[in-house]
Amino acid sequence: MAIDWHIGNRDNLISGSADHTIKVWDLNNKNCINTIMYHKDKVQDIKIHLIEPNLFLSGSFDKTVVLSNIKYGSGDKKGNKVFKLDGEIEQIEWHPTNNCIFYCSLDNGYMCSYDVRKESQILCKWQINTKQKPISCFAFNKVKNELI
């Protein structure tokens, strides 16, 4: 369902799946080197941090976004931050110029932003679709630093 890669960690790829797992893949040996099981439903999206290639966000249909480290396994949840939302996650994106903020779109027509330094404290929530339909896609205009 989701896949991401970072130039700062060229040997690894990370994927999220409908079986609720996140897998870290070794691209050189072509095998899975870590399976992470934090979510209770499908992992809809994954985004590796823009600066720190071992950190990533995972968003799930279990209505959570988790900030975690690629090096940690399922039994090691130290340093994880869990952000609970009121809808299933459709998409997550890091802010292009503020690497502590992420945005997510939900299945109920809302978008939210969070600062990862403040667990579960929402920065902003706004309704985009008044018919409560999913916001399946959004992007940043990196030239103007705006959400589109």
Side-chain angles (χ1 to χ4, degrees):
M1 296 190 74
I3 193 167
D4 202 9
W5 175 85
H6 192 285
I7 194 154
N9 191 353
R10 297 173 190 227
D11 298 335
N12 294 87
L13 180 97
I14 188 166
S15 66
S17 181
D19 68 0
H20 314 181
T21 64
I22 297 162
K23 294 187 183 276
V24 181
W25 300 91
D26 181 325
L27 297 175
N28 296 322
N29 295 320
K30 301 177 184 151
N31 65 337
C32 176
I33 57 172
N34 194 0
T35 299
I36 303 166
M37 295 177 280
Y38 296 141
H39 291 289
K40 296 176 180 135
D41 206 337
K42 299 173 196 168
V43 179
Q44 177 71 359
D45 202 5
I46 287 188
K47 289 295 183 296
I48 296 174
H49 193 269
L50 301 172
I51 308 281
E52 174 51 56
N54 289 325
L55 295 178
F56 69 94
L57 294 169
S58 58
S60 171
F61 281 4
D62 67 5
K63 301 180 181 181
T64 64
V65 173
V66 178
L67 173 67
S68 189
N69 193 309
I70 287 174
K71 295 180 179 184
Y72 298 157
S74 295
D76 188 359
K77 295 183 180 180
K78 67 180 177 186
N80 283 0
K81 290 190 177 181
V82 178
F83 301 87
K84 297 179 182 179
L85 294 97
D86 61 359
E88 295 175 353
I89 310 306
E90 291 290 326
Q91 182 182 349
I92 47 180
E93 292 290 340
W94 289 102
H95 189 282
T97 59
N98 186 334
N99 60 22
C100 294
I101 295 176
F102 72 90
Y103 290 81
C104 55
S105 62
L106 307 176
D107 71 331
N108 59 9
Y110 281 87
M111 288 193 66
C112 304
S113 62
Y114 288 87
D115 186 325
V116 296
R117 298 168 293 187
K118 301 172 184 175
E119 189 170 352
S120 295
Q121 183 179 343
I122 193 166
L123 291 177
C124 186
K125 179 179 177 181
W126 60 101
Q127 188 174 21
I128 303 293
N129 188 329
T130 58
K131 296 182 180 178
Q132 296 186 339
K133 295 194 177 191
I135 301 170
S136 59
C137 184
F138 67 94
F140 280 96
N141 178 336
K142 293 179 182 174
V143 174
K144 294 186 175 184
N145 196 23
E146 297 174 342
L147 187 64
I148 54 175

